[in-house]
Amino acid sequence: QLQLQESGAGLVKPSETLSLTCTVSGASISGSTYYWGWLRQPPGKGLEWIGSIFYSGSTYYNPSLKSRVTISVDTSKNQFSLKLSSVTAADTAVYYCARGSGWYREWGQGALVTVSS
Amino acid sequence: EIVLTQSPGTLSLSPGERATLSCRASQSVSNNYLAWYQQKPGQAPRLLIYGASSRATGIPDRFSGSGSGTDFTLTISRLEPEDFAVYYCQQYGSSPFTFGPGTKVDIK
């Protein structure tokens, strides 16, 4: 059974870089035909797609965040990661990792990241 | 970017009733690549429907999706107590993938 688990700092200072890692178990990232994605949800608000990566390293990002986002993959650790630079309070959200190439069936439990000094 | 609008914002119904949720896109969704999710407080979204009308694995048949182009509908034929939640539509036909603002189905 596929499981995804987000990990990383829960509190980030304004202007710094948010970093999260998603550890995948129950399936191999490199053996998958799916993309692996990051999405977020500000408290009490709706969902936003951040971007996705294929095991080969091919990525595509939401243009609204593209200048600040980097998604990378480490197949040796069966993990993929998110970095979001120059964060502000508007980046406070629950961040989810998920598997899918458009629609997302498997999700992590989510990680709350608060941007505050 | 395709903007999705969901209506109504809140739907107040009783268990056993039929729920009809609407999702309208600002332009045609390519290949009807439209998904529906259910989300309960403190939980990740749960995929219900993809490709506008295909039920995801393990989803009860009281959930059905329909529509094409710019107009899509999620129908819950008979509400069970566990169905009271927020429902989101999402298009993945063109990048960036986008979500609607959600419809909350609450108990009347």
Side-chain angles (χ1 to χ4, degrees):
Chain A
Q1 181 182 351
L2 178 71
Q3 291 189 317
L4 302 98
Q5 178 68 57
E6 305 89 350
S7 60
L11 180 63
V12 181
K13 290 181 169 56
S15 80
E16 295 189 344
T17 296
L18 176 161
S19 294
L20 292 171
T21 295
C22 182
T23 300
V24 178
S25 58
S28 169
I29 285 180
S30 59
S32 176
T33 58
Y34 291 99
Y35 275 74
W36 303 87
W38 286 99
L39 304 96
R40 69 180 183 178
Q41 185 171 36
K45 297 187 178 181
L47 295 155
E48 180 180 33
W49 174 73
I50 299 171
S52 299
I53 190 165
F54 197 57
Y55 76 90
S56 61
S58 174
T59 55
Y60 56 114
Y61 300 133
N62 190 324
S64 68
L65 298 168
K66 187 174 183 177
S67 64
R68 299 194 291 130
V69 171
T70 302
I71 297 176
S72 59
V73 63
D74 186 338
T75 55
S76 67
K77 295 182 179 179
N78 221 34
Q79 297 175 332
F80 62 105
S81 299
L82 168 70
K83 291 189 185 300
L84 181 66
S85 64
S86 305
V87 297
T88 69
D91 295 310
T92 293
V94 175
Y95 286 76
Y96 294 101
C97 59
R99 183 178 76 166
S101 297
W103 43 267
Y104 294 96
R105 192 176 78 176
E106 291 94 359
W107 296 65
Q109 65 184 24
L112 174 62
V113 179
T114 301
V115 179
S116 174
S117 56
Chain B
E1 173 175 322
I2 294 179
V3 176
L4 299 178
T5 303
Q6 291 187 242
S7 62
T10 301
L11 194 53
S12 296
L13 294 168
S14 300
E17 290 193 295
R18 182 184 187 91
T20 302
L21 288 67
S22 174
C23 177
R24 179 163 290 179
S26 61
Q27 55 188 280
S28 185
V29 176
S30 178
N31 298 308
N32 294 326
Y33 282 168
L34 193 287
W36 289 93
Y37 299 85
Q38 175 193 70
Q39 188 177 34
K40 297 179 180 179
Q43 297 184 15
R46 173 194 184 198
L47 177 70
L48 301 174
I49 302 286
Y50 62 94
S53 60
S54 296
R55 258 190 311 276
T57 303
I59 301 303
D61 61 7
R62 65 179 180 274
F63 291 92
S64 63
S66 62
S68 64
T70 61
D71 289 292
F72 300 88
T73 300
L74 174 70
T75 302
I76 310 172
S77 59
R78 295 173 309 279
L79 282 164
E80 296 288 340
E82 62 268 27
D83 298 337
F84 292 93
V86 179
Y87 292 83
Y88 294 97
C89 58
Q90 177 221 348
Q91 70 80 24
Y92 53 97
S94 60
S95 184
F97 302 156
T98 51
F99 289 82
T103 290
K104 183 178 182 180
V105 178
D106 65 14
I107 300 176
K108 187 174 182 180

